[in-house]
Amino acid sequence: PNTPSQTFFVEFHSHLNGQGGCWETQSWAAVLMFCFSILQYEMYTIERNAERTASAGRLLYDMFVNFPDQPAVWREISVITSALRNDSQDKQTQFLRGLFETLPGRVQCEMLLKATEQCFNTLERAEMLLLLLRRFPETVVQHGVGLGETLLDAESIEDQESPVNCFRKLFVCDVLPLIINNPDVRLPASLLYKYLNKAAEFYINYVTRSTQTESQYQGSQDSSDIMSPSKRSSQKYVIDGLTEKSSQITDPWERLFKILSVVGMRCEWQMDKGRRSFGDILHRMKDLCRYISNFDSDAHAKYKNQVVYSTMLVFFKNAFQYVSNIQPSLFQGPNAPNQAPLVLLEDVTNIYGDTDIDRNKHIHKKRKLAEGREKTMSSDDEDPSGKARSRHITVNKADLANSIEVLESFKLARESWELLYSLESLDKEFTRICLSWKTDTWLWLRIFLTDMIIYQGQYKKAISSLHHLAALQGSHSPQQITGQGSLESQRALIQLATCHFALGEYRQTCEKVLDLVCCISLPIQEGGKVQEEQPKVKSKFRKGSDLKLWPCTSRAIMPYCLHLLLACFKLRAFTDSRDDMALGHVVVLLQHEWPRGENLFLKAINKICQQGNFQYENFFNYVTNIDMLEEFAYLRTQEGGKIHLELLPNQAMLIKHHTVTRGITKGVKEDFRLAMERQVSRCGENLMVVLHRFCINEKILLLQTLA
Amino acid sequence: MCNYFQEQTKDSVRQIIFSSLFSPQGNKADDSRMALLGKLVSMAVAVCRVPVLECAAFWLQRTPAVYCVRLARALVDDYCNLVPGSIQTLKQIFSASPRFCCQFITSVTALYDLSSDDLIPPSDLLELIVSWIFEDPRLILITFLNTPIAANLPIGFLELTPLTGLIRWCVKAPLAYKRKKKASLSNGHPPSKIAKDSTSGEDRDCHQLYSKLHLSVLQVLMMLQGHLTEKNLYGRLGLVPFDHVVPLVEEINRLSDELNPLNASKEIELALDRLAQALQVAMASGALLCTRDDLRTVCSRLPHNNLLQLVISGPVQQPSHGTLPPGFYPHIHTPPLGYPAHAAHPALPAHPALPAHPVQTFIPGMTFPYRPIR
């Protein structure tokens, strides 16, 4: 023997001949193997630290084959497998990945399996198995479903509150596609539906995750910055337990519909090839419903599932599409940050039109109400679908660039909803799914449903939906409610006003409007021009049954509020009985968008002339319109009909006062003249400020008038 | 008393009563205390009273080793010397209270250290212990694995494992038996032929048992690394204390001087082979914390042995990883104290009295450049 290593092995070898007895020989062999494993490991260490991929890989392979139970070998394997799971691009990680690649496939497979067995953390274990399943599709048959079930179990064991959690993410995005796309894995339909359900719940919740949820993940150290939308969208969403990269899911809807189509294929649905639009899918589901009369028979059970799941996904996708466009700030993602949120409201732009038509309509409605007293919902008992089809939603191009698509989404979602509720068996299944997903806590869905109900003209139902919405909104973002000028959070209030108005409940309308005005911050730029663009011809035909998507901004909402108030008081002011207060309010409100309400104003003047006198003590506080002032000044003249006007506050008292000192007429005349002169100088005042003050200061009086 | 401990349902109460009764107080009563304890445990073994045995196991852990040894002797007297064949009763305790068995082995190895002929374990006892350990080598580690451990062990108590004691048995046995045989021959009473045959037959059986035991000890040492790492004690706890290795080496040295190296060369080689194997495996698995320099100094006067020479030189020397970031890659097989890559070994102190046989010579720079065999 020459070299020391030869000496070493010869020394051992000479004792392996059994001379010292059986046990002695075994000791020598054991020590030899032990030393050999150490040497091999140390050799490996040298190669590995020198980053010689090929030779390190060969040594690792030898160690794995010869000493599979050595803890050191296991530590090494776990280091390598964690490098495989890692996103990191650093040199060391890349080297380890390269090292793994040098191993023969069979060894890789065995190594991953054994590493999985050693792993007690569910998440790590799952990630490890996924490495295996991805690399060796043949292992999916044996381990795929088991892994999936483990993840679903882990989710419930670990009490995950949200379906958007690390276990579900791994299941839906990583494991499920492997299972259902593997032709050798055969699953019963019930399991496939369960998985489809889990996937749908995950993706929908993922897409619609709110910005609030996100801010919970951020530290509190920069909470002041979180509110700024630009900052918010730049922050990445991370699912607890996963890496940032693994938390990002591209094209979630596309993935979901892919799963739908694969599950459909596997469950032998009535499918056809090729990509279809959502409209096509819905159309086909409607056809299926028409052909299949009884979904509850066993033979048709799969078609029931087909209709429910397909329609449901079309529904959620389009409802989301609609809501994400009208209120982008609700969701994360690359939404245009400067687009104002929109709110669906009854169109009342024809407010300046002839009152007689409106009155007739409402009288008709009231009579109807009286007739069917036992029916609680006046408008709700009309066939919603019949009514819905006739309605039209307008939206300004400037407010929503892709309005056609958004309205199409709204329509598709509505029709899907109607289809799901058209048959009892579909309804039952859909309701069951919604219950399990707790959809009644989804703010965004509530926003859609409310809009849909308003669209259907079921205002009573809409009002209860809006109370639900307000409660959800309160729980979602308590800090936003108090935030000034954030009308977005007052969406429920605005819509409540519009619903009460549609129901002819003017006092409640007024109440909501005035509450809302309190939230509107000044100054407001006058947005008269926008309203001017309204095509008046169209509205004549539609007779007020139109809806409009209004920007949820002070600038747009304040005029809308004034319209509603005018509409409420207009009816009272022009009834046959006399109501000077209402008439006075109408005059104040008609200043807005002057001269659009000129006809109505003239009608009011007419009424005053007929009455011969008129009392409205707030006149000089809130009327600054020069045309109106002129008209009232004229009324007092001989030519104007010498109408007796009591427009100054406490005029009755003043009259008494003047009697003593200077004589009635002269003093009053003088006061009126002075007031008029002063008022003319106020003509330049910002009208919106005046009207805002009117709403806030006279809130009690306004409500009393409608009592 | 045995019944009381058997019937007490609360573990903690039983423990407290047991230790308050039998903890040595350093007064005259200790003798009767120990006598009573010996009887109690002996009886518990006889009628298999597990709670008492468990209490005794804890007592053995918390009582100074001198008293533990006394209890061990009492039990050995009862079961090995007094009634022949009663050892079978003791043997059955293995399944009833492994914890007691483990502590019993530790105390027995502390008692019988082979320093004299009297302190060679009775063959029945040896057979018992080897059969236990061979059945499940992990028995040795039961106390260690089930006790919360501080890195600093108290002095004067039994060790956490019987490992050191068992290594001592295996390594010293060939020499101790040789000495015993030599003594009986030189006593001038050549035994009758029949007696001689039976004795040598018995010794041969014992040699087999020590061989078997040595293999088991090595196996346990090899699995230690995982356990130490698991308990986060790797490199922090020397289960085979270097301080105990030093006297062991001294004794071997003395014994081999004592025996005529020419007549006992086979025994000496066997002892040194076993020593070298145990040291190598203990160091590599982190049970023995010392540098190869330490070892070299300690073993310098031992007779030459090929394997020991190799072990002292060490296998592949670690290149130093100065360029690597700290914590980049742990050398799990390197004892954490580390040894210099190329030992600048001081010249060995010259011994005034040169031993009669060639000593371990250290070949500087002798490393084992590893070439994979394939």
Side-chain angles (χ1 to χ4, degrees):
Chain A
N2 296 324
T3 69
S5 68
Q6 278 170 326
T7 320
F8 190 82
F9 286 107
V10 167
E11 180 61 35
F12 277 98
H13 192 255
S14 67
H15 287 92
L16 294 178
N17 51 15
Q19 273 176 0
C22 158
W23 307 117
E24 219 60 46
T25 307
Q26 281 199 30
S27 290
W28 279 98
V31 176
L32 175 60
M33 285 310 273
F34 187 66
C35 293
F36 179 63
S37 79
I38 294 171
L39 288 172
Q40 197 161 44
Y41 184 79
E42 287 178 342
M43 198 62 208
Y44 167 74
T45 306
I46 291 165
E47 295 302 301
R48 178 193 193 274
N49 286 348
E51 303 204 337
R52 285 188 283 266
T53 318
S55 50
R58 213 176 48 215
L59 283 161
L60 182 65
Y61 170 82
D62 286 350
M63 290 197 304
F64 182 73
V65 172
N66 294 326
F67 311 106
D69 299 323
Q70 268 276 328
V73 175
W74 281 107
R75 206 130 3 114
E76 195 53 24
I77 287 171
S78 87
V79 169
I80 292 169
T81 47
S82 79
L84 292 174
R85 286 183 282 130
N86 208 332
D87 305 336
S88 141
Q89 292 300 314
D90 65 78
K91 213 169 148 236
Q92 174 70 3
T93 312
Q94 281 185 334
F95 165 74
L96 289 171
R97 278 185 226 143
L99 179 60
F100 187 76
E101 294 308 329
T102 65
L103 300 173
R106 181 181 53 80
V107 174
Q108 288 182 342
C109 183
E110 232 177 285
M111 229 181 231
L112 286 172
L113 254 180
K114 284 212 173 174
T116 308
E117 283 164 18
Q118 305 253 326
C119 205
F120 294 106
N121 174 315
T122 311
L123 196 59
E124 272 180 36
R125 206 185 138 92
E127 285 176 344
M128 207 90 87
L129 254 184
L130 260 173
L131 287 176
L132 179 77
L133 302 189
R134 287 216 188 92
R135 267 166 197 272
F136 307 100
E138 66 275 12
T139 59
V140 172
V141 180
Q142 200 191 338
H143 301 285
V145 177
L147 174 59
E149 292 292 325
T150 310
L151 284 169
L152 291 178
D153 286 347
E155 190 181 48
S156 57
I157 290 166
E158 309 236 334
D159 252 341
Q160 292 288 335
E161 266 180 40
S162 163
V164 184
N165 58 58
C166 53
F167 303 114
R168 186 77 73 92
K169 191 266 162 186
L170 285 184
F171 172 72
V172 171
C173 300
D174 304 308
V175 180
L176 187 56
L178 291 175
I179 297 176
I180 58 175
N181 289 318
N182 191 314
D184 297 329
V185 180
R186 304 210 179 278
L187 295 177
S190 60
L191 209 55
L192 284 167
Y193 290 132
K194 174 183 153 189
Y195 291 167
L196 175 60
N197 183 312
K198 295 284 178 190
E201 186 190 18
F202 171 79
Y203 278 123
I204 293 169
N205 275 283
Y206 177 81
V207 170
T208 62
R209 69 201 184 274
S210 69
T211 44
Q212 272 74 37
T213 330
E214 177 199 27
S215 58
Q216 283 170 7
Y217 286 95
Q218 319 298 338
S220 53
Q221 71 276 17
D222 56 355
S223 54
S224 56
D225 293 338
I226 283 169
M227 297 311 292
S228 78
S230 58
K231 189 118 186 177
R232 193 189 281 170
S233 57
S234 72
Q235 278 164 341
K236 287 277 167 53
Y237 178 72
V238 177
I239 297 172
D240 207 11
L242 298 180
T243 61
E244 187 182 304
K245 187 183 159 205
S246 169
S247 300
Q248 307 304 315
I249 301 167
T250 50
D251 306 322
W253 286 113
E254 205 164 294
R255 284 160 173 250
L256 177 55
F257 278 92
K258 182 91 206 325
I259 291 174
L260 177 77
S261 90
V262 175
V263 168
M265 219 118 72
R266 298 218 134 199
C267 293
E268 295 171 319
W269 287 353
Q270 290 264 319
M271 308 274 285
D272 49 6
K273 289 175 195 119
R275 259 193 73 89
R276 300 165 65 99
S277 71
F278 297 121
D280 292 338
I281 296 177
L282 184 60
H283 187 75
R284 196 169 166 79
M285 292 309 116
K286 284 180 180 169
D287 282 350
L288 249 175
C289 284
R290 217 168 296 142
Y291 297 140
I292 295 165
S293 49
N294 182 12
F295 277 114
D296 285 329
S297 81
D298 285 345
H300 293 151
K302 68 179 172 193
Y303 300 124
K304 180 177 87 177
N305 277 309
Q306 176 175 12
V307 173
V308 170
Y309 275 102
S310 307
T311 314
M312 181 176 80
L313 294 191
V314 170
F315 167 70
F316 282 120
K317 160 74 177 139
N318 284 286
F320 166 74
Q321 202 64 29
Y322 170 77
V323 177
S324 68
N325 274 286
I326 66 161
Q327 199 166 339
S329 65
L330 265 185
F331 308 102
Q332 302 183 323
N335 293 309
N338 43 8
Q339 188 211 301
L342 301 172
V343 56
L344 187 70
L345 298 170
E346 293 287 317
D347 193 358
V348 286
T349 38
N350 61 344
I351 206 69
Y352 301 109
D354 201 332
T355 49
D356 293 335
I357 298 162
D358 293 313
R359 258 167 73 198
N360 288 344
K361 185 181 131 198
H362 285 281
I363 286 162
H364 164 75
K365 189 168 256 173
K366 273 185 182 156
R367 202 179 58 230
K368 233 188 112 183
L369 241 176
E371 281 167 4
R373 187 59 66 185
E374 67 276 15
K375 292 179 185 172
T376 45
M377 292 182 205
S378 61
S379 55
D380 292 18
D381 39 283
E382 292 171 36
D383 170 33
S385 53
K387 184 165 183 172
R389 251 173 226 126
S390 69
R391 303 199 85 180
H392 178 81
I393 301 171
T394 52
V395 52
N396 280 327
K397 260 272 184 267
D399 297 332
L400 188 64
N402 55 342
S403 59
I404 294 168
E405 288 92 334
V406 174
L407 292 178
E408 178 66 15
S409 291
F410 188 56
K411 175 170 165 270
L412 282 171
R414 256 174 17 234
E415 291 179 4
S416 312
W417 179 269
E418 281 157 13
L419 180 63
L420 286 167
Y421 280 100
S422 63
L423 287 169
E424 202 196 325
S425 57
L426 302 180
D427 176 357
K428 221 169 106 188
E429 182 65 12
F430 179 55
T431 307
R432 187 187 64 78
I433 294 169
C434 285
L435 268 176
S436 71
W437 290 358
K438 300 197 181 74
T439 55
D440 57 342
T441 63
W442 295 359
L443 175 63
W444 71 271
L445 183 63
R446 182 47 53 189
I447 288 174
F448 167 78
L449 289 177
T450 308
D451 283 8
M452 179 180 77
I453 298 167
I454 289 173
Y455 180 91
Q456 291 169 341
Q458 307 184 67
Y459 298 109
K460 289 255 168 162
K461 222 165 141 185
I463 286 169
S464 68
S465 176
L466 282 163
H467 285 302
H468 190 165
L469 173 63
L472 282 179
Q473 230 168 8
S475 66
H476 270 249
S477 55
Q479 80 277 24
Q480 273 193 5
I481 290 280
T482 51
Q484 267 231 327
S486 114
L487 273 176
E488 199 175 327
S489 58
Q490 305 299 332
R491 140 190 302 283
L493 207 50
I494 309 171
Q495 289 190 320
L496 273 174
T498 218
C499 288
H500 282 301
F501 178 74
L503 285 170
E505 297 166 351
Y506 300 120
R507 195 178 177 280
Q508 282 100 315
T509 310
C510 191
E511 203 174 85
K512 302 300 171 201
V513 165
L514 295 176
D515 284 349
L516 192 57
V517 170
C518 291
C519 303
I520 291 173
S521 53
L522 291 170
I524 307 160
Q525 299 159 296
E526 240 183 303
K529 277 177 223 151
V530 181
Q531 267 71 41
E532 298 296 348
E533 289 164 11
Q534 292 298 317
K536 290 172 189 174
V537 193
K538 209 167 155 193
S539 64
K540 248 181 206 164
F541 288 111
R542 302 253 172 204
K543 295 176 187 172
S545 75
D546 273 2
L547 292 160
K548 184 169 158 63
L549 277 167
W550 288 79
C552 218
T553 59
S554 296
R555 180 188 151 139
I557 290 303
M558 184 66 189
Y560 185 76
C561 288
L562 294 172
H563 287 164
L564 278 184
L565 286 180
L566 178 59
C568 291
F569 288 106
K570 186 173 83 169
L571 289 163
R572 195 165 272 261
F574 294 111
T575 46
D576 296 332
S577 60
R578 176 176 171 170
D579 188 342
D580 280 12
M581 192 65 85
L583 199 60
H585 295 335
V586 166
V587 169
V588 171
L589 292 166
L590 281 174
Q591 296 178 94
H592 177 225
E593 298 176 323
W594 184 262
R596 281 186 67 191
E598 195 171 2
N599 282 337
L600 267 184
F601 177 68
L602 291 176
K603 205 174 160 187
I605 294 295
N606 249 345
K607 190 160 189 222
I608 291 169
C609 288
Q610 277 166 20
Q611 290 175 186
N613 57 34
F614 177 64
Q615 183 187 4
Y616 187 66
E617 294 182 355
N618 268 326
F619 186 86
F620 285 114
N621 285 336
Y622 302 113
V623 179
T624 60
N625 182 299
I626 186 72
D627 295 338
M628 291 185 175
L629 292 174
E630 271 179 7
E631 194 62 37
F632 274 91
Y634 175 74
L635 282 181
R636 282 172 58 91
T637 61
Q638 202 68 41
E639 301 84 0
K642 252 185 144 354
I643 308 297
H644 179 73
L645 296 174
E646 287 183 30
L647 303 181
L648 287 161
N650 303 319
Q651 194 165 333
M653 264 187 34
L654 277 174
I655 288 167
K656 256 182 221 157
H657 174 70
H658 285 299
T659 318
V660 180
T661 55
R662 303 164 76 186
I664 307 159
T665 39
K666 193 187 173 212
V668 171
K669 231 181 214 168
E670 188 62 15
D671 285 349
F672 186 84
R673 196 185 58 79
L674 282 172
M676 271 296 180
E677 276 174 13
R678 203 170 51 238
Q679 208 63 7
V680 169
S681 72
R682 282 181 62 192
C683 284
E685 268 184 44
N686 182 328
L687 182 63
M688 271 305 169
V689 176
V690 172
L691 293 175
H692 190 260
R693 201 161 57 220
F694 171 68
C695 293
I696 288 171
N697 293 349
E698 308 307 329
K699 185 171 177 178
I700 297 166
L701 188 69
L702 286 165
L703 288 174
Q704 273 171 359
T705 313
L706 291 173
Chain B
M1 200 176 275
C2 199
N3 281 344
Y4 169 78
F5 287 116
Q6 183 69 24
E7 282 155 21
Q8 174 56 253
T9 48
K10 282 187 181 144
D11 283 351
S12 54
V13 174
R14 195 188 308 121
Q15 290 287 348
I16 288 165
I17 303 275
F18 195 94
S19 68
S20 62
L21 280 177
F22 298 113
S23 291
Q25 305 293 322
N27 52 29
K28 283 181 185 167
D30 277 355
D31 283 343
S32 30
R33 209 188 302 278
M34 289 307 299
L36 186 59
L37 177 64
K39 287 195 178 107
L40 173 66
V41 178
S42 187
M43 178 180 176
V45 169
V47 292
C48 195
R49 291 285 183 258
V50 176
V52 179
L53 296 177
E54 292 286 305
C55 282
F58 277 112
W59 184 90
L60 286 166
Q61 248 180 285
R62 286 180 305 211
T63 309
V66 280
Y67 295 98
C68 301
V69 167
R70 285 172 71 174
L71 177 61
R73 186 184 289 279
L75 292 173
V76 172
D77 281 345
D78 282 356
Y79 286 94
C80 299
N81 302 336
L82 209 59
V83 188
S86 61
I87 189 92
Q88 288 309 318
T89 317
L90 188 54
K91 206 171 193 172
Q92 283 157 12
I93 295 306
F94 175 75
S95 52
S97 177
R99 193 193 282 270
F100 174 78
C101 294
C102 177
Q103 287 301 106
F104 177 70
I105 298 170
T106 311
S107 52
V108 157
T109 56
L111 170 61
Y112 295 99
D113 65 355
L114 289 81
S115 57
S116 67
D117 291 350
D118 294 340
L119 292 175
I120 291 174
S123 55
D124 277 355
L125 178 65
L126 177 68
E127 201 273 330
L128 167 81
I129 285 172
V130 173
S131 75
W132 276 350
I133 295 175
F134 197 77
E135 186 162 330
D136 187 358
R138 282 171 303 173
L139 177 68
I140 294 177
L141 298 179
I142 279 192
T143 307
F144 162 65
L145 293 178
N146 292 290
T147 312
I149 287 159
N152 296 321
L153 293 171
I155 299 168
F157 292 82
L158 289 182
E159 286 180 54
L160 272 173
T161 67
L163 277 168
T164 316
L166 293 172
I167 292 172
R168 192 190 297 121
W169 277 17
C170 298
V171 171
K172 280 173 79 176
L175 302 175
Y177 279 78
K178 183 79 179 172
R179 179 189 59 195
K180 189 177 130 194
K181 200 172 158 192
K182 199 176 139 193
S184 68
L185 286 174
S186 62
N187 267 351
H189 304 287
S192 67
K193 187 148 172 54
I194 299 160
K196 194 186 163 193
D197 279 356
S198 81
T199 316
S200 66
E202 205 172 76
D203 283 359
R204 203 166 44 245
D205 288 347
C206 284
H207 287 314
Q208 281 283 3
L209 288 171
Y210 283 112
S211 275
K212 211 169 161 185
L213 182 62
H214 179 60
L215 174 60
S216 301
V217 169
L218 290 175
Q219 282 168 343
V220 171
L221 283 172
M222 287 172 198
M223 65 174 83
L224 258 184
Q225 193 198 333
H227 292 306
L228 284 166
T229 312
E230 225 168 77
K231 296 192 115 187
N232 197 24
L233 285 168
Y234 186 80
R236 303 203 293 131
L237 176 75
L239 273 179
V240 178
F242 183 64
D243 292 349
H244 295 200
V245 171
V246 176
L248 173 61
V249 173
E250 290 299 322
E251 286 164 47
I252 296 169
N253 212 14
R254 199 167 42 77
L255 268 169
S256 28
D257 280 351
E258 216 175 274
L259 298 164
N260 183 344
L262 293 174
N263 289 337
S265 66
K266 261 176 76 184
E267 285 78 9
I268 292 173
E269 177 155 22
L270 182 57
L272 293 180
D273 278 345
R274 284 183 185 165
L275 176 70
Q277 287 172 355
L279 290 178
Q280 166 64 24
V281 176
M283 280 179 85
S285 61
L288 172 60
L289 303 180
C290 70
T291 64
R292 292 197 195 269
D293 273 345
D294 296 335
L295 215 54
R296 192 177 307 129
T297 313
V298 170
C299 300
S300 58
R301 293 186 53 236
L302 287 173
H304 176 83
N305 173 276
N306 279 341
L307 184 64
L308 192 59
Q309 169 69 56
L310 292 162
V311 169
I312 291 173
S313 316
V316 175
Q317 299 286 333
Q318 295 303 313
S320 59
H321 293 292
T323 49
L324 299 169
F328 163 71
Y329 197 67
H331 288 286
I332 58 154
H333 286 298
T334 310
L337 292 174
Y339 41 89
H342 297 284
H345 51 92
L348 294 169
H351 290 283
L354 276 170
H357 42 76
V359 297
Q360 295 286 336
T361 43
F362 176 67
I363 307 160
M366 173 172 163
T367 58
F368 293 90
Y370 170 70
R371 286 185 316 180
I373 319 160
R374 67 166 63 85

